Amino acid sequence: MSVDIVKARLPRLQQVVEFEDIFPLWNVKFYPYGHAEDDPVFAVIGDVNTIVYKLVGGAGGDLERLCWFKDGGDVNLFSFDWTLDSDTGEPMLCVAGEGENTIKLLSVTSGTLARTLVGHGHKINDLKTSPVDPSVLATASDDNSIRVWHLHTNVAHQPCAAVLSGDGGHETGVISLAFHANGRYLLSGGYDTRLCLWVLPEYPSSKDAAYGKAGAGANIIHFPHFCTTALHFHQIDTLTFHGDHILSKSYDPEKYSPEHNRILLWRITGFNSNKPIPPLTAAPANMPRGIHTTVSAWSDTSQGSGGFQVLMAFECPGVKADFMRFGLSPVVDLSESFTTTHPQLTTPSTILAIGGHIYDKEKPISHKPKGKESSSASTSKSNTHWRIPTQIHLWDLGLLADGVEGQGLVETVSPKGIGLRVERSIKPGSSKGSPSSPLTKTPRASTFGSNLEVGAFNTRSSSALSSRLSSARTPDSDMIDSTLVTSDYNSKQATTDSEAPTSPLWGPYTPQKAHKIIQAGQGLKIPDFTPRTMAWSPDGKVGIVVGDTPASLWILGRD
C-alpha cells in the first residue's frame, strides 16, 4: 500500500479546541439540511449544555459560536439529532439523556424551548430523525422500549406514533438506533446483546392532508422482523446502515480483547430494500432466548444457524470505556481532485473512524497525586498502566473495495502541525467534576428540574443562521442515495444468496487494521482526552471528534 495514497485520501487533524470550563462532551452532529455552498454548522452536547457552531473556511478555519443552551434541570444530556420545524422549516434540535427522561425540542433560530415530549420511563440512550421525513423521530431508552414520534403540530395531542416493545423486543435497555435510507426499517441494539431490525408502519407524509389522523393512537409493535444474539457478546452501542449492509460495534468490558472489541460489517441474509417491505404480521414470534440465536423473516433459521453473514471486522484497540461511538462519513467523490495526479485514487471514499487509547501492561507507570511520593499501593500492578495518547483510527471503505488493506500507518501530530485554541467562557453551562458515562447502569440520584436557560446569541451569526437555514430543503431520495451508498458499492451487492461477490468487502471474515491512525503527540498536552463520538459534515470533507478530560473538539479535514 502506498503511503502517498493513504495520505492523499484520508483526512488529517487540522485543529484542536479545548474547553476552558470543564464539562463532558458526549455527542456531535452536523446540520444535514443545508446547501452545498454553506459553511458546515454542527452542534455538540454534554451534561446540561447544547452548543451550536459554524465552521468558517474548512476544517482549519474559524469556529464561530452561534448559540448555546443550558438546561436548568438536573440532567445529563448525551442524545440528540437535528430536525426541522414542521410549520416554518426552521432548524431545531431534539435533545435527551438522563434525569427528566424527556425529549426537548429547541429552536436554534429563536433560542427557545419549543416543545417537550413525555413518555419514556428511564434515560434516553439514543435519538434518530428519519432520513425521509424530519418530523419522524425514534428514541431508545433504558425502559426497554423504542418510541417513534410524530413532531408535526397536527398531532401534538398524540405525538407518540408507535412503541416497539414487548415479549419480542429487548429484554433490557436499548442503547443504539439507526434508520435505513428508506425510513421504513429501524435497527436497534441493547444491553441484552440483541440486535433487531424493525419494520415501521407507513405513516402519512407531513405534507399529506391525512397526516393529522396519524395521531389517533400509538401502534404497539411487539416483534422485530430480525433479531440475533449471535453477533456480539456485550452491549451494542453503535449502529448504522451502509446501503443494505450494517456496521455495528459492541463494547465488552469483562472480555477485553481485539476479538471482543470490533466493528463488524455484515448483512442480513435475504434482505433487499428494493423488494416489497414485508407486512408487520410477517415478523417471527419465536424470539431468541440465550446466546447465539437468530430469527429472521427473510431466511430460515430453524436449524440454529444462518440469518446473517459477517463480511468484515475492524479492530478497535483502545476502546475500553462506555460511549465510544464510531462515525461513518458520506461518500466523497474524489474523481475531480485526483484524476490527473493520482488516477488510482478515484474510487469514491467512505471513511469509518473511531477513537481510543492503547494500554500496555508490560510498560506500567503509576498515577499518583502531584507532590506526593508513591506508595506500594499506588505502584502496584493493579493500579498502574502505560497509555499511549489518544488515537483516531480511520478506514477507507473505497480502498478496501479495491483490495487495499490497512497497515496501521501512524501519523503523530505535533502542535506545530495544527491549530490549537481554547474555547473560553461557555456560560451559562459550565460544570465541574469528572464525567460519568451515560451508558453505565447506575442512574443519577437527582431532583429533576424543568427550566431551560439560553445563552445570548451573537446577533450577526444568529441572523445569518436564521436566513440561511430556515430556507433549507427537506431531504429527498436523491440526497439520501448519494450520501449513503456509491453505485460501485451497490453494483457489487449480491442479488441472490447464491451469488458470491468478488469484492474483498464480501469475505472472508478478516479483521482489518486501520489505513491511518492519527495519534496525539506529547506536545499537545492532552494525553488524557477520551474520544466519545465522531461525526462528518454532509459533504464528507470535515470530521469532528468530541470527548472529555478535557472536553475538546478534534477537527479533521482533507487538504
Side-chain angles (χ1 to χ4, degrees):
M1 176 184 63
S2 169
V3 173
D4 291 338
I5 292 177
V6 171
K7 288 184 176 180
R9 287 182 62 105
L10 278 83
R12 66 179 181 87
L13 181 61
Q14 298 204 18
Q15 64 173 309
V16 172
V17 181
E18 181 179 340
F19 289 80
E20 186 178 58
D21 296 311
I22 301 298
F23 56 84
L25 290 179
W26 294 117
N27 214 335
V28 55
K29 289 186 180 179
F30 281 87
Y31 180 74
Y33 308 122
H35 302 274
E37 66 272 17
D38 292 344
D39 289 318
V41 171
F42 65 93
V44 296
I45 193 170
D47 194 32
V48 298
N49 300 279
T50 304
I51 315 171
V52 181
Y53 290 97
K54 178 167 66 175
L55 187 59
V56 182
D62 294 330
L63 196 63
E64 186 175 348
R65 191 170 72 228
L66 302 179
C67 64
W68 72 90
F69 301 86
K70 176 187 175 182
D71 196 303
D74 189 1
V75 298
N76 180 19
L77 302 175
F78 49 84
S79 301
F80 81 101
D81 208 350
W82 291 90
T83 185
L84 299 174
D85 185 281
S86 59
D87 295 325
T88 66
E90 294 186 352
M92 301 188 74
L93 288 165
C94 305
V95 303
E98 63 179 329
E100 296 176 356
N101 308 324
T102 61
I103 304 104
K104 295 180 179 179
L105 276 64
L106 310 178
S107 172
V108 175
T109 51
S110 67
T112 58
L113 171 62
R115 291 176 63 188
T116 301
L117 304 177
V118 179
H120 280 298
H122 214 306
K123 65 181 177 180
I124 298 166
N125 295 317
D126 204 2
L127 186 156
K128 295 290 171 62
T129 304
S130 167
V132 174
D133 186 350
S135 65
V136 174
L137 176 73
T139 54
S141 173
D142 257 20
D143 65 8
N144 305 356
S145 76
I146 302 160
R147 287 179 178 252
V148 180
W149 310 81
H150 279 299
L151 304 182
H152 199 283
T153 53
N154 288 354
V155 290
H157 60 286
Q158 175 54 273
C160 184
V163 179
L164 284 53
S165 180
D167 292 341
H170 288 275
E171 296 179 323
T172 57
V174 189
I175 306 175
S176 51
L177 294 173
F179 271 103
H180 188 276
N182 67 10
R184 293 291 306 280
Y185 295 112
L186 182 68
L187 277 171
S188 65
Y191 291 107
D192 55 5
T193 77
R194 288 190 178 193
L195 204 156
C196 302
L197 179 62
W198 306 79
V199 173
L200 300 181
E202 185 175 9
Y203 299 111
S205 167
S206 58
K207 300 177 182 179
D208 195 309
Y211 191 87
K213 298 179 182 179
N219 288 300
I220 308 300
I221 302 175
H222 295 289
F223 298 100
H225 280 58
F226 172 89
C227 185
T228 185
T229 59
L231 268 165
H232 294 288
F233 302 101
H234 207 73
Q235 61 195 49
I236 301 166
D237 63 4
T238 326
L239 294 166
T240 192
F241 276 98
H242 186 52
D244 281 354
H245 294 74
I246 298 165
L247 286 153
S248 59
K249 171 187 161 286
S250 177
Y251 164 62
D252 303 340
E254 297 180 358
K255 297 181 178 179
Y256 177 71
S257 61
E259 63 268 21
H260 288 281
N261 288 272
R262 287 176 174 170
I263 301 168
L264 298 180
L265 174 68
W266 57 283
R267 71 183 185 99
I268 297 173
T269 304
F271 176 78
N272 187 333
S273 62
N274 293 320
K275 295 181 179 179
I277 296 172
L280 297 183
T281 54
N286 56 328
M287 287 296 107
R289 303 296 176 187
I291 62 174
H292 306 307
T293 308
T294 302
V295 296
S296 177
W298 289 279
S299 62
D300 182 11
T301 60
S302 60
Q303 302 302 314
S305 62
F308 64 86
Q309 179 187 2
V310 176
L311 311 172
M312 186 173 289
F314 304 88
E315 292 186 348
C316 300
V319 179
K320 292 195 66 177
D322 286 326
F323 212 95
M324 297 181 76
R325 298 183 164 184
F326 67 77
L328 184 70
S329 80
V331 172
V332 178
D333 185 355
L334 302 176
S335 57
E336 292 185 3
S337 302
F338 298 113
T339 299
T340 303
T341 57
H342 296 85
Q344 70 271 46
L345 302 184
T346 58
T347 301
S349 173
T350 302
I351 306 299
L352 173 66
I354 191 169
H357 292 291
I358 303 296
Y359 293 81
D360 186 352
K361 292 185 177 180
E362 299 302 319
K363 299 179 180 179
I365 60 172
S366 63
H367 287 269
K368 59 184 179 180
K370 293 182 179 180
K372 294 184 179 181
E373 295 298 325
S374 61
S375 64
S376 58
S378 65
T379 57
S380 66
K381 187 174 182 179
S382 61
N383 293 324
T384 60
H385 63 266
W386 175 273
R387 181 164 71 180
I388 296 174
T390 302
Q391 295 183 334
I392 308 298
H393 289 242
L394 301 150
W395 297 264
D396 187 328
L397 300 190
L399 288 179
L400 289 174
D402 284 342
V404 180
E405 296 185 352
Q407 301 297 324
L409 174 68
V410 177
E411 181 178 275
T412 301
V413 180
S414 68
K416 294 181 180 180
I418 62 172
L420 294 172
R421 64 182 69 187
V422 177
E423 179 75 327
R424 294 184 170 89
S425 301
I426 306 296
K427 298 177 181 179
S430 62
S431 176
K432 305 293 184 181
S434 300
S436 174
S437 170
L439 297 186
T440 56
K441 294 296 290 182
T442 304
R444 285 163 56 119
S446 58
T447 301
F448 304 142
S450 59
N451 297 325
L452 183 77
E453 300 176 17
V454 184
F457 277 87
N458 174 310
T459 54
R460 178 176 63 84
S461 301
S462 63
S463 175
L465 180 71
S466 178
S467 62
R468 177 63 93 174
L469 299 191
S470 62
S471 61
R473 63 189 178 92
T474 301
D476 52 50
S477 58
D478 291 339
M479 183 182 74
I480 292 167
D481 290 343
S482 64
T483 56
L484 284 179
V485 198
T486 69
S487 58
D488 180 63
Y489 196 102
N490 275 334
S491 67
K492 294 174 181 177
Q493 182 172 323
T495 56
T496 67
D497 295 338
S498 61
E499 294 181 5
T502 58
S503 167
L505 279 176
W506 284 269
Y509 175 17
T510 305
Q512 293 292 326
K513 292 183 179 180
H515 285 109
K516 180 177 180 179
I517 300 171
I518 298 173
Q519 179 171 295
Q522 294 292 332
L524 287 180
K525 299 180 182 180
I526 47 175
D528 292 325
F529 174 67
T530 301
R532 296 296 182 177
T533 308
M534 176 85 186
W536 297 89
S537 60
D539 61 7
K541 295 180 180 178
V542 177
I544 294 182
V545 180
V546 299
D548 53 76
T549 56
S552 303
L553 305 177
W554 284 31
I555 304 178
L556 285 66
R558 288 183 170 90
D559 295 323

